[in-house]
Amino acid sequence: MSTMLRAAIVGATGYSGAEVVRLLLMHPHVAVTSVVSSSNPGALLSDGFPHLKQIVTDRLDAVDADLLKEKADVVFLATPHGVSTELSPKLLEAGLKVIDISGDFRLKSGEVYEQWYKHKPADAAYLNKAVYGMSEVFGDEVRGANFISNPGCYPTATTLGLAPLAAKGWIDPKSIIVDAKSGVSGAGRGLSMTTHYSEINENFYAYKVNKHQHTPEIEQTLARLTGEEAAITFTTHLVPMTRGILATIYVNLKEQHSEEEIFELFRSYYAGRRFVRIRDKGKYPATKEVWGSNYCDIGLSLDPRTGRLTVLSAIDNVVKGAAGQAVQNLNLMMGWDEATGLAFSPVYP
Amino acid sequence: MSTMLRAAIVGATGYSGAEVVRLLLMHPHVAVTSVVSSSNPGALLSDGFPHLKQIVTDRLDAVDADLLKEKADVVFLATPHGVSTELSPKLLEAGLKVIDISGDFRLKSGEVYEQWYKHKPADAAYLNKAVYGMSEVFGDEVRGANFISNPGCYPTATTLGLAPLAAKGWIDPKSIIVDAKSGVSGAGRGLSMTTHYSEINENFYAYKVNKHQHTPEIEQTLARLTGEEAAITFTTHLVPMTRGILATIYVNLKEQHSEEEIFELFRSYYAGRRFVRIRDKGKYPATKEVWGSNYCDIGLSLDPRTGRLTVLSAIDNVVKGAAGQAVQNLNLMMGWDEATGLAFSPVYP
Amino acid sequence: MSTMLRAAIVGATGYSGAEVVRLLLMHPHVAVTSVVSSSNPGALLSDGFPHLKQIVTDRLDAVDADLLKEKADVVFLATPHGVSTELSPKLLEAGLKVIDISGDFRLKSGEVYEQWYKHKPADAAYLNKAVYGMSEVFGDEVRGANFISNPGCYPTATTLGLAPLAAKGWIDPKSIIVDAKSGVSGAGRGLSMTTHYSEINENFYAYKVNKHQHTPEIEQTLARLTGEEAAITFTTHLVPMTRGILATIYVNLKEQHSEEEIFELFRSYYAGRRFVRIRDKGKYPATKEVWGSNYCDIGLSLDPRTGRLTVLSAIDNVVKGAAGQAVQNLNLMMGWDEATGLAFSPVYP
Amino acid sequence: MSTMLRAAIVGATGYSGAEVVRLLLMHPHVAVTSVVSSSNPGALLSDGFPHLKQIVTDRLDAVDADLLKEKADVVFLATPHGVSTELSPKLLEAGLKVIDISGDFRLKSGEVYEQWYKHKPADAAYLNKAVYGMSEVFGDEVRGANFISNPGCYPTATTLGLAPLAAKGWIDPKSIIVDAKSGVSGAGRGLSMTTHYSEINENFYAYKVNKHQHTPEIEQTLARLTGEEAAITFTTHLVPMTRGILATIYVNLKEQHSEEEIFELFRSYYAGRRFVRIRDKGKYPATKEVWGSNYCDIGLSLDPRTGRLTVLSAIDNVVKGAAGQAVQNLNLMMGWDEATGLAFSPVYP
């Protein structure tokens, strides 16, 4: 490859944005040409993130569509709700590729967005244009696309745990219960009592019970896959650790299948997809075993006593749940191997 | 009270046993007269637990029924599976009171015990004699009893979250899914790869999926309360923290009830019971808010979208889930106020 | 005791203030009659601290000297710098007893205060009146006093580790290096990037190097004990845990002494003082072994290779380093046993 | 590079060994051709380390010098004390390159080794042959060498913090006090009460006070650099986190120097060395800011009140303190850029 693709990261002072920077530093075909932040333009990115000292020596650019058009071929948006709604259309019109890590373009229905996010939705035309980038499920649509709405962290873990069953029509959508647990980095870098160390350390609790804005995102994908609309139960918990999501998913099957058939279904659905690893029978994923990486590990257990299937799905929320899948989507958009720049191992312990 | 009740703790070198010691030090009517351990008799208890230095100056007694008869009026057993099976009958025959914190006498069916614990069950006569000491549910049976089988940690959190509904017949027992999470102290003081710091720190995963031995204990209690036998789905996870259990419980109601009716049911069921606190609508319990205490905090959410009820129940596994409920049961056995010696606040943060 | 002493806690919505509340709930001679906060008067204390739900049902009073005079006999101030400077004189003039947990009255020199705290110092007359309440060192002055300046957390751990040597004149004050480490609760409940979970979890670093405001407090006490003015080296670090301070202290002795003599010195200095525990030779304190308690554990090691003495001193910063020592001081002021209401064990694990 | 260097890792089932594997997977010129373990030959490496599932599909080879000669050009030894003593000479005689991550060849004096390690020392001829691989200090000797003794984790952090001063003769060696703190992974994967989660979580304490076997390793290097033999004070503490070492180092300067001169000394000493980053005045390193990487971050503070210099040095103990420096040494041995395969950013948060 003679020339490098030029990438800008808007929201580089947040955890997801900084992680895109970290990952792109390892990418052989991409150069980071602009790190952008509304909060502190002109400062060194490494002032706020000293781990990048002498590694990233760039100063922060202000959020400016014209500057982005000049400096970048592709723009990653790791921004609070509402920013991408305004910015992405401008960038797309200028011919840039856009990968939006925020939630602004995930829901096709502006009405549903408004109901769950309590924000004004994006323009309907662009909502329709945005390709929902669940790489292993909708990768075919991602290939060649210019505008990706990158999935949420919880929906990534959940959907990868349900997609084979949903696509095959094996599950009763109304039976789905997702009990999800996330490390604290999912709450971002903004200060809050919830993320105050002494409050969350040595603590475990559920939050936004029956109210989490990722609920309709999961339901939308399941409806696409199953052809049925259904409300699911989705509960989120905070785990006293920095990174990682585990989704424990309970489903009733429409018809009886053996555990072996279910394993076979998952293995064939994800055949050739490097980043999804199906654990052997009796083995279950652990968030630490995907730490810092783009892997999603899945375990399965069919209980003969109840007939209920339990699916366990683990990801690193900052990587596969945000920045990593964004880079994976870039690879797919560009026609590169999906693992380009991402083919490193989790860090353990 | 002119004389103190003399208490022995067998298994004082484990976490639950040491916690009984800590709690009884604050009890106005009980004196610890023997700390017992099979592992290191003759040593100071405080050699293995330096936090007790100059507080408990006793040396460990060997496990010896005759010595216990001589030194104690009541014996707490915080022992591995199988020890109580042998020891409790001897102590009971000698007229001592026994509070068994182990799992040996929790299941009335020896067959079910053997199936889940992979151990030889206790004598059926004593299985029948043992009163299952879920204080807020079966407190009437505990009063005046001499032999208490103290509930498991997970069953305590789960049962307190379901008892009002089960007793009233409002839930479909087949619909019950319990997604439970525990701090690492629940695994005890014995060394294992699971409890090795670098393996579990910054990690979250499920274990014994569809296989945990607390499953039949929960089912047995629910069957007593509902009059229906039913298999439940019960999943356990390890949280990177020392103490605390949160059970997230999903149930379908047999008939429709408003959220207000459900709150009212819980409040009236636990009226007058100091250690169960029902959170207000929209508020949910956190394990840290019961840390070090005998409280069980419960939150409730009825989802209008699915009709499903979510119950959240939090305890300190070492206190309400073991040593604290054991002391509470002693209080009930002796006719004392159930909070005697236990009326202290959680430690926060 | 026929009547209870009435206590008010100003700053009850902070960690130290809430801990005073927790401790006084266990005190046989004290009743909490007012919980005070500038931030949210009228709200339930338990709204901000749900662990106190149904335990403390009081609403927060505004900061109002007149109200305090009416409702309390003793006032604990757990307030930010500057509040006590104004409030304490008023309370003292009205005949109340005051225990100030803030730093406002610790330094006798207003000039030194201003230099390190960057705040206006308190009135010199009151600075002179305030008794510095290092219970085991200056307990004789605390007995019968009405105005106590409660020591800082780091100075408590450090001073208890040095007092026997300093009082005896065995150490070269210029040689003293204190390498101190604290849990995050020491930073209080106010939000900051430093206490943001994802930033401090799995992290360890030094802060305020050669600049910490507790430095002159330690020096002032050492000067009183040794009769020599000397600057010390004092470094503070943040440990990814909630509670606990360990001070590792390095000193050169003026003359040679055997390790046995040093142990003997410490044991005799603290003879009869329940809350200081000297570890045996070769054993060292751990913060977790004093967790939630008023103990200070001390270990000693004289290195024959260098002739240097290492003292290790561990406390719970919220208890012995703040609220616990405040209650201990109240006990001394009132002529009660210093352990009244504090004679409980650390919570372990 | 047409052919890949073939590397074997002995002790691949430990944390340092597994980290060598992780790092070499990213190395462009090295292929892992054998993972070796005495504990479980024939098993998949990924059975014990599921994070490597589908990434490393090799089975474990037994420890067998003949097999190593056949399969590898370079052997990394990440083994318990004593293994390398026997194995390394055989491998060297067969013409292989050896990088020994264990402590067996770090001390030139067998007598000193025996005194601190309580093990039989290695053969003196090989002790002399081993090049002590502190990359930034003795890199010239590493270039072209065949046998590297890789430094210990604590000595790496400490020596990098002292080398510029020692080499220049600015410090009084007798004044050196190193207060070091390490994450728990430094204790390895072997089970012990020390590394039992509930014991070390939320805990902080010193261990092996004045007895740590890394003491003479640091002293040996300082003696080489300063030309003076001197005993130092070296204290090690365990931090409740997985990775990271911070060494807080106190020294007296022989003559007065300004803080600016000291900064300049450090910057010039490490000029061109990518992995040592000197923080700006008033900024201090944090272990999390080097997490997962080969960086060593250094902060400096000269206290005008005492004249004492404080040096803060942070590394990831598993990378720069073990596996990373081993790969860096391989790069130097082979004449490659020292950052080959190591030029990735720390992972944050």
Side-chain angles (χ1 to χ4, degrees):
Chain A
M1 170 147 299
S2 51
T3 57
M4 301 284 269
L5 189 77
R6 299 171 306 150
I9 296 96
V10 184
T13 51
Y15 292 146
S16 294
E19 190 75 347
V20 174
V21 174
R22 175 176 82 89
L23 296 176
L24 292 182
L25 290 176
M26 294 187 276
H27 200 291
H29 309 326
V30 183
V32 174
T33 50
S34 175
V35 286
V36 181
S37 172
S38 61
S39 56
N40 207 6
L44 289 170
L45 176 61
S46 65
D47 282 351
F49 281 124
H51 72 286
L52 294 176
K53 194 174 147 75
Q54 296 174 22
I55 299 173
V56 179
T57 53
D58 301 71
R59 292 188 177 275
L60 294 164
D61 287 327
V63 183
D64 174 345
D66 292 331
L67 190 63
L68 285 166
K69 290 173 207 170
E70 201 178 289
K71 295 182 82 167
D73 304 311
V74 60
V75 178
F76 291 85
L77 297 173
T79 45
H81 302 319
V83 175
S84 174
T85 297
E86 303 299 322
L87 190 57
S88 288
K90 294 180 198 164
L91 300 173
L92 290 165
E93 278 158 34
L96 275 67
K97 294 179 196 306
V98 172
I99 300 175
D100 178 17
I101 301 178
S102 86
D104 285 4
F105 290 90
R106 292 182 194 147
L107 299 178
K108 292 298 171 194
S109 157
E111 200 181 342
V112 173
Y113 177 89
E114 200 157 2
Q115 182 188 332
W116 289 84
Y117 280 79
K118 317 290 177 200
H119 275 265
K120 199 174 141 276
D123 184 85
Y126 284 94
L127 286 179
N128 285 330
K129 242 185 222 176
V131 171
Y132 184 67
M134 187 73 68
S135 313
E136 281 83 4
V137 179
F138 303 119
D140 288 346
E141 300 177 15
V142 175
R143 274 178 205 99
N146 285 323
F147 183 25
I148 300 297
S149 173
N150 212 58
C153 50
Y154 286 122
T156 297
T158 302
T159 303
L160 292 176
L162 285 172
L165 298 160
K168 195 79 169 187
W170 282 11
I171 41 171
D172 172 8
K174 286 194 184 60
S175 74
I176 297 172
I177 294 177
V178 180
D179 191 282
K181 300 89 175 174
S182 175
V184 181
S185 63
R189 211 181 196 197
L191 304 183
S192 71
M193 191 55 84
T194 298
T195 55
H196 191 60
Y197 184 86
S198 299
E199 303 286 318
I200 179 59
N201 181 44
E202 296 294 289
N203 200 358
F204 188 89
Y205 57 82
Y207 67 101
K208 294 191 187 175
V209 179
N210 290 321
K211 300 235 161 98
H212 199 287
Q213 72 276 9
H214 284 172
T215 311
E217 183 181 341
I218 298 168
E219 290 173 352
Q220 173 181 279
T221 304
L222 291 174
R224 279 183 69 185
L225 294 173
T226 63
E228 292 177 64
E229 299 278 341
I232 65 164
T233 292
F234 176 60
T235 314
T236 49
H237 305 76
L238 223 47
V239 185
M241 62 184 191
T242 301
R243 287 172 178 240
I245 282 179
L246 185 80
T248 308
I249 309 170
Y250 303 97
V251 294
N252 292 332
L253 302 180
K254 284 191 164 168
E255 294 173 25
Q256 215 178 306
H257 294 278
S258 71
E259 208 173 52
E260 286 63 36
E261 288 176 290
I262 296 165
F263 270 100
E264 180 47 35
L265 172 66
F266 273 77
R267 291 207 176 99
S268 65
Y269 187 90
Y270 290 118
R273 304 312 294 263
R274 171 185 198 128
F275 292 122
V276 178
R277 302 187 291 193
I278 310 302
R279 286 294 162 88
D280 295 339
K281 184 173 159 60
K283 304 284 182 187
Y284 302 99
T287 60
K288 193 166 184 135
E289 291 165 6
V290 296
W291 205 101
S293 83
N294 201 47
Y295 288 89
C296 173
D297 284 4
I298 292 175
L300 299 162
S301 174
L302 182 64
D303 186 1
R305 300 169 68 250
T306 61
R308 205 171 272 136
L309 176 68
T310 304
V311 182
L312 294 135
S313 175
I315 61 168
D316 181 317
N317 57 303
V318 193
V319 188
K320 183 61 174 168
Q325 187 157 240
V327 174
Q328 186 180 2
N329 281 326
L330 176 64
N331 289 335
L332 292 170
M333 290 160 84
M334 301 298 294
W336 301 328
D337 182 300
E338 71 177 334
T340 309
L342 294 169
F344 48 83
S345 147
V347 188
Y348 192 93
Chain B
M1 168 147 298
S2 52
T3 56
M4 301 285 269
L5 189 78
R6 299 171 307 150
I9 296 95
V10 184
T13 51
Y15 291 145
S16 295
E19 190 76 347
V20 175
V21 174
R22 175 175 83 89
L23 296 176
L24 291 182
L25 290 175
M26 294 188 275
H27 201 291
H29 309 327
V30 183
V32 173
T33 51
S34 176
V35 287
V36 182
S37 172
S38 62
S39 56
N40 207 5
L44 289 169
L45 175 60
S46 65
D47 281 352
F49 280 124
H51 71 286
L52 294 176
K53 194 174 148 73
Q54 297 174 24
I55 298 173
V56 179
T57 53
D58 300 71
R59 291 188 177 274
L60 294 164
D61 288 327
V63 183
D64 174 343
D66 292 331
L67 191 64
L68 286 166
K69 291 173 205 170
E70 202 178 288
K71 296 182 82 166
D73 304 311
V74 59
V75 178
F76 291 84
L77 297 173
T79 46
H81 301 321
V83 175
S84 173
T85 297
E86 302 299 321
L87 191 57
S88 289
K90 293 179 197 165
L91 300 173
L92 290 165
E93 278 159 34
L96 275 67
K97 294 178 196 308
V98 172
I99 300 174
D100 178 17
I101 301 178
S102 86
D104 285 5
F105 289 92
R106 291 181 195 148
L107 299 178
K108 292 297 171 193
S109 157
E111 201 181 339
V112 173
Y113 177 90
E114 201 159 0
Q115 183 188 329
W116 289 84
Y117 281 78
K118 317 291 176 199
H119 275 265
K120 197 172 140 279
D123 184 83
Y126 283 95
L127 287 178
N128 284 330
K129 242 183 221 176
V131 171
Y132 184 68
M134 187 73 68
S135 311
E136 282 82 5
V137 179
F138 303 120
D140 289 346
E141 299 177 16
V142 175
R143 275 180 203 97
N146 286 322
F147 183 26
I148 300 298
S149 175
N150 212 58
C153 50
Y154 286 122
T156 296
T158 302
T159 303
L160 292 176
L162 285 172
L165 298 161
K168 196 79 170 189
W170 282 12
I171 40 172
D172 171 8
K174 286 193 185 61
S175 74
I176 297 172
I177 294 177
V178 180
D179 192 283
K181 301 89 175 174
S182 175
V184 182
S185 63
R189 212 182 196 195
L191 305 182
S192 71
M193 191 54 86
T194 299
T195 55
H196 191 61
Y197 184 85
S198 299
E199 302 285 318
I200 178 59
N201 181 44
E202 294 295 291
N203 200 357
F204 187 88
Y205 57 82
Y207 67 102
K208 294 191 187 177
V209 180
N210 289 322
K211 298 235 161 97
H212 199 286
Q213 72 277 8
H214 284 173
T215 311
E217 183 182 339
I218 298 167
E219 290 173 353
Q220 173 181 278
T221 303
L222 291 174
R224 277 184 69 185
L225 294 172
T226 63
E228 292 178 64
E229 300 277 341
I232 65 164
T233 292
F234 176 61
T235 314
T236 50
H237 305 76
L238 224 47
V239 185
M241 63 184 188
T242 301
R243 288 173 177 237
I245 283 179
L246 185 80
T248 309
I249 309 170
Y250 303 96
V251 294
N252 292 333
L253 301 181
K254 283 189 164 168
E255 296 172 24
Q256 214 178 310
H257 294 279
S258 71
E259 208 173 50
E260 286 63 36
E261 287 175 291
I262 295 164
F263 270 101
E264 179 48 34
L265 172 66
F266 273 76
R267 290 206 176 101
S268 65
Y269 187 90
Y270 290 117
R273 304 312 294 263
R274 172 183 197 130
F275 292 122
V276 178
R277 302 188 291 193
I278 309 302
R279 287 294 165 88
D280 294 340
K281 184 174 159 60
K283 304 284 182 187
Y284 302 100
T287 60
K288 193 167 183 133
E289 291 166 5
V290 297
W291 206 100
S293 83
N294 202 47
Y295 287 89
C296 174
D297 284 4
I298 292 174
L300 299 163
S301 174
L302 183 64
D303 186 1
R305 300 170 66 251
T306 61
R308 206 171 270 135
L309 176 68
T310 304
V311 183
L312 294 135
S313 175
I315 61 168
D316 181 317
N317 59 304
V318 193
V319 188
K320 184 61 175 168
Q325 186 157 239
V327 173
Q328 186 181 2
N329 281 327
L330 176 65
N331 288 336
L332 292 171
M333 291 161 83
M334 301 299 294
W336 302 327
D337 183 300
E338 69 177 337
T340 309
L342 294 169
F344 48 83
S345 146
V347 189
Y348 192 92
Chain C
M1 170 146 299
S2 52
T3 56
M4 300 285 269
L5 190 77
R6 299 171 307 150
I9 295 94
V10 184
T13 51
Y15 292 145
S16 295
E19 190 75 347
V20 174
V21 174
R22 176 176 82 89
L23 296 176
L24 292 182
L25 290 176
M26 293 188 275
H27 201 290
H29 309 326
V30 183
V32 174
T33 50
S34 175
V35 286
V36 182
S37 173
S38 63
S39 56
N40 207 5
L44 289 170
L45 176 60
S46 64
D47 282 352
F49 281 125
H51 71 287
L52 294 176
K53 194 173 146 73
Q54 297 174 22
I55 299 173
V56 179
T57 53
D58 300 69
R59 291 187 178 276
L60 294 165
D61 287 327
V63 183
D64 174 344
D66 292 329
L67 190 63
L68 286 166
K69 290 173 205 170
E70 201 178 290
K71 296 182 84 169
D73 304 311
V74 60
V75 178
F76 292 84
L77 297 174
T79 45
H81 302 320
V83 175
S84 173
T85 297
E86 302 300 322
L87 189 58
S88 289
K90 294 180 198 163
L91 300 172
L92 289 164
E93 277 158 35
L96 274 68
K97 293 178 196 307
V98 172
I99 300 175
D100 178 18
I101 301 178
S102 86
D104 285 4
F105 290 92
R106 291 183 194 145
L107 298 179
K108 291 298 171 193
S109 157
E111 200 182 341
V112 174
Y113 178 89
E114 201 158 2
Q115 182 188 332
W116 290 84
Y117 282 78
K118 317 289 177 202
H119 275 265
K120 198 174 140 275
D123 184 84
Y126 284 95
L127 287 178
N128 285 330
K129 241 183 221 176
V131 172
Y132 184 68
M134 187 73 69
S135 312
E136 282 81 5
V137 179
F138 302 120
D140 289 345
E141 299 177 16
V142 175
R143 275 181 202 96
N146 285 324
F147 183 26
I148 301 298
S149 174
N150 212 58
C153 51
Y154 285 122
T156 297
T158 303
T159 303
L160 292 177
L162 284 173
L165 298 160
K168 195 79 169 186
W170 283 11
I171 39 173
D172 170 8
K174 286 194 185 59
S175 74
I176 296 173
I177 294 176
V178 181
D179 191 282
K181 301 90 174 173
S182 175
V184 181
S185 64
R189 211 181 197 197
L191 304 183
S192 70
M193 191 54 86
T194 298
T195 56
H196 191 61
Y197 184 86
S198 299
E199 302 286 318
I200 178 60
N201 181 45
E202 295 295 290
N203 200 358
F204 188 89
Y205 56 81
Y207 67 102
K208 294 191 187 175
V209 179
N210 290 322
K211 298 235 161 96
H212 198 287
Q213 73 277 9
H214 284 173
T215 311
E217 183 181 340
I218 298 168
E219 290 174 353
Q220 173 181 278
T221 304
L222 290 174
R224 278 183 68 185
L225 293 173
T226 63
E228 292 178 64
E229 299 279 340
I232 65 165
T233 292
F234 176 61
T235 314
T236 50
H237 304 76
L238 223 47
V239 186
M241 62 184 189
T242 302
R243 287 174 178 237
I245 283 178
L246 185 80
T248 308
I249 310 169
Y250 304 96
V251 295
N252 292 333
L253 301 180
K254 285 192 162 165
E255 295 173 25
Q256 214 178 311
H257 295 278
S258 71
E259 207 173 51
E260 286 64 35
E261 288 176 289
I262 295 165
F263 270 100
E264 180 47 34
L265 173 65
F266 273 76
R267 292 208 175 98
S268 65
Y269 187 89
Y270 290 117
R273 303 313 294 262
R274 173 183 197 130
F275 292 122
V276 178
R277 301 188 291 194
I278 310 302
R279 287 293 165 87
D280 295 340
K281 184 173 158 63
K283 304 283 182 187
Y284 302 100
T287 60
K288 194 168 182 130
E289 291 166 5
V290 297
W291 205 100
S293 84
N294 201 48
Y295 287 89
C296 174
D297 285 4
I298 292 174
L300 299 163
S301 174
L302 182 63
D303 186 0
R305 300 169 67 250
T306 61
R308 207 171 270 135
L309 177 67
T310 305
V311 182
L312 294 136
S313 175
I315 61 168
D316 181 318
N317 58 304
V318 192
V319 188
K320 183 62 174 168
Q325 186 157 241
V327 173
Q328 185 181 1
N329 281 327
L330 176 65
N331 289 336
L332 292 170
M333 290 161 84
M334 300 299 294
W336 301 329
D337 182 300
E338 71 177 337
T340 308
L342 294 169
F344 49 82
S345 146
V347 188
Y348 192 93
Chain D
M1 170 147 298
S2 53
T3 56
M4 300 284 269
L5 190 77
R6 297 171 309 148
I9 296 95
V10 184
T13 52
Y15 291 145
S16 295
E19 191 75 348
V20 175
V21 174
R22 174 175 84 89
L23 296 176
L24 291 183
L25 290 175
M26 293 187 275
H27 200 290
H29 309 326
V30 182
V32 174
T33 50
S34 175
V35 286
V36 181
S37 172
S38 61
S39 56
N40 207 6
L44 289 169
L45 176 61
S46 65
D47 282 352
F49 281 124
H51 71 287
L52 294 176
K53 194 174 149 72
Q54 296 174 23
I55 298 173
V56 179
T57 53
D58 300 69
R59 291 188 177 276
L60 294 165
D61 287 327
V63 182
D64 175 343
D66 291 331
L67 190 64
L68 286 166
K69 291 173 206 170
E70 202 178 289
K71 295 181 83 167
D73 304 312
V74 59
V75 178
F76 291 84
L77 297 173
T79 46
H81 302 320
V83 175
S84 173
T85 297
E86 303 299 322
L87 190 58
S88 288
K90 294 179 198 164
L91 300 172
L92 290 165
E93 278 159 35
L96 275 67
K97 294 179 196 306
V98 172
I99 299 175
D100 178 17
I101 301 178
S102 86
D104 285 5
F105 290 91
R106 292 182 195 147
L107 299 178
K108 292 297 172 194
S109 157
E111 200 181 341
V112 173
Y113 178 89
E114 200 159 2
Q115 182 189 330
W116 289 84
Y117 281 78
K118 318 291 177 199
H119 275 265
K120 198 173 142 277
D123 186 84
Y126 283 95
L127 286 179
N128 285 331
K129 240 183 222 177
V131 170
Y132 184 68
M134 187 73 68
S135 313
E136 281 82 5
V137 179
F138 303 119
D140 289 345
E141 300 177 16
V142 175
R143 276 180 202 95
N146 285 323
F147 182 25
I148 300 298
S149 174
N150 211 59
C153 50
Y154 286 121
T156 297
T158 302
T159 304
L160 293 176
L162 284 173
L165 298 160
K168 196 80 170 186
W170 282 12
I171 41 173
D172 172 8
K174 286 193 185 60
S175 74
I176 297 172
I177 294 176
V178 181
D179 192 283
K181 302 89 174 173
S182 175
V184 181
S185 64
R189 213 183 194 195
L191 304 182
S192 71
M193 190 55 84
T194 297
T195 55
H196 191 60
Y197 184 86
S198 299
E199 303 285 319
I200 179 59
N201 181 45
E202 295 293 289
N203 200 358
F204 187 88
Y205 57 82
Y207 67 101
K208 294 192 188 177
V209 179
N210 290 322
K211 299 234 160 95
H212 198 286
Q213 72 276 9
H214 285 171
T215 311
E217 182 181 341
I218 299 168
E219 289 174 353
Q220 172 181 278
T221 304
L222 290 174
R224 279 183 68 184
L225 294 173
T226 62
E228 294 176 64
E229 299 277 341
I232 65 164
T233 292
F234 176 60
T235 314
T236 50
H237 305 76
L238 223 48
V239 186
M241 63 184 190
T242 301
R243 287 174 179 237
I245 282 178
L246 185 81
T248 309
I249 309 170
Y250 304 96
V251 294
N252 292 334
L253 300 180
K254 283 190 164 168
E255 294 173 25
Q256 215 179 307
H257 294 279
S258 71
E259 209 173 51
E260 287 63 37
E261 287 176 291
I262 296 164
F263 270 101
E264 180 48 34
L265 173 65
F266 273 77
R267 291 207 176 99
S268 66
Y269 187 90
Y270 291 118
R273 305 311 294 263
R274 173 185 196 127
F275 291 123
V276 178
R277 301 188 291 194
I278 310 301
R279 287 292 164 89
D280 295 340
K281 184 172 159 62
K283 304 283 183 188
Y284 302 100
T287 60
K288 193 166 185 134
E289 291 166 4
V290 296
W291 205 100
S293 83
N294 201 48
Y295 287 89
C296 174
D297 284 5
I298 292 174
L300 298 163
S301 174
L302 182 64
D303 186 1
R305 300 170 66 251
T306 62
R308 207 171 270 136
L309 176 67
T310 304
V311 182
L312 295 134
S313 175
I315 61 168
D316 181 317
N317 57 304
V318 192
V319 188
K320 183 61 174 170
Q325 186 157 241
V327 173
Q328 186 180 2
N329 281 326
L330 176 65
N331 288 337
L332 293 170
M333 290 161 83
M334 301 299 295
W336 301 328
D337 182 300
E338 70 178 336
T340 309
L342 294 169
F344 47 83
S345 147
V347 188
Y348 192 93

